[in-house]
Amino acid sequence: MTEKINNAFNMCPMCGSKNIENPGMRKWICKDCGFDLYNNVAAAVGIIIYDKDKNVLFEVRAKEPRKGFIAVPGGFVDFDESAESAIVRECREEIGVDLDSDQVKILCTNPNTYEYKNIVYKTCDIFFTASLPEKYENIAAFISSLKAQESEVLGFQSHRVATLDDVENLPLAFESARLTLRKFVQTSL
């Protein structure tokens, strides 16, 4: 589903002209100097870390958008970074865990809408899975070892994600995660 994006940029960043158009919402065009600014999709990553009983690690978001809702660990891919490297970095930053990129397996991708400071960003979210590191008995034990990045994470929660009903009852921050968790359930049946 395509929604209208209303990022109301009204001045050319090159020449300062207010003669800006946004035909089709794909790019902004300055009619005076010819500058084009494309509205490209950003890449983001997330990871489902789970135990043998299908308990999944969630973060409670510390900032907007959707502050206080839960999400899987993840974030935006940096310049010159692979998706696999990005999820390893995000886990180190957000939860204080060093995953080996060999531990993570790609599950799926989903589109997402991320509104931040009145700007709408369209993203392609790349989701991975990783089973719980062997030294932990369950997600609850794992949570006690985590170090939250305070600017990003208010705390941690564990929720069982074994059925589609389990997924529907979660207070998730983003629809892309809900779609991904549905796939997680369906592929692990």
Side-chain angles (χ1 to χ4, degrees):
M1 176 167 114
T2 303
E3 19 182 300
K4 186 171 180 173
I5 300 171
N6 188 20
N7 293 343
F9 301 118
N10 58 13
M11 185 184 305
C12 176
M14 295 303 285
C15 73
S17 169
K18 292 192 179 223
N19 194 10
I20 298 288
E21 290 183 0
N22 188 349
M25 306 311 281
R26 284 285 296 137
K27 68 179 178 176
W28 292 268
I29 302 167
C30 177
K31 293 300 211 175
D32 291 333
C33 75
F35 177 75
D36 292 346
L37 175 62
Y38 283 87
N39 190 20
N40 291 328
V41 173
V45 292
I47 190 163
I48 299 169
I49 300 174
Y50 62 95
D51 66 18
K52 63 181 174 41
D53 296 319
K54 300 296 184 226
N55 296 305
V56 173
L57 171 70
F58 292 94
E59 304 173 340
V60 179
R61 290 183 57 80
K63 68 179 193 178
E64 297 297 344
R66 311 283 288 165
K67 180 179 180 179
F69 285 80
I70 63 172
V72 296
F76 286 98
V77 178
D78 286 344
F79 295 144
D80 301 320
E81 184 177 50
S82 70
E84 293 85 355
S85 295
I87 199 57
V88 168
R89 176 187 50 75
E90 286 289 345
C91 284
R92 184 171 50 266
E93 291 173 0
E94 288 188 357
I95 66 175
V97 170
D98 281 315
L99 291 179
D100 185 315
S101 61
D102 293 337
Q103 291 175 270
V104 301
K105 307 287 183 228
I106 191 161
L107 176 63
C108 64
T109 65
N110 280 302
N112 193 23
T113 301
Y114 189 91
E115 187 173 344
Y116 182 69
K117 294 189 177 184
N118 299 317
I119 301 293
V120 175
Y121 298 91
K122 291 303 217 174
T123 65
C124 179
D125 294 350
I126 306 158
F127 288 95
F128 297 89
T129 61
S131 58
L132 189 66
E134 290 180 12
K135 65 181 179 179
Y136 298 101
E137 183 178 325
N138 55 38
I139 289 290
F142 183 57
I143 286 174
S144 68
S145 73
L146 301 179
K147 295 178 184 168
Q149 181 182 21
E150 292 179 14
S151 63
E152 299 281 333
V153 180
L154 289 174
F156 300 105
Q157 295 180 2
S158 170
H159 293 277
R160 188 161 192 271
V161 183
T163 69
L164 294 175
D165 283 342
D166 292 340
V167 175
E168 297 314 311
N169 292 321
L170 294 170
L172 292 166
F174 303 109
E175 186 62 20
S176 62
R178 190 172 311 283
L179 295 170
T180 298
L181 288 166
R182 288 178 189 151
K183 177 141 182 134
F184 173 73
V185 166
Q186 292 168 335
T187 58
S188 62
L189 292 176

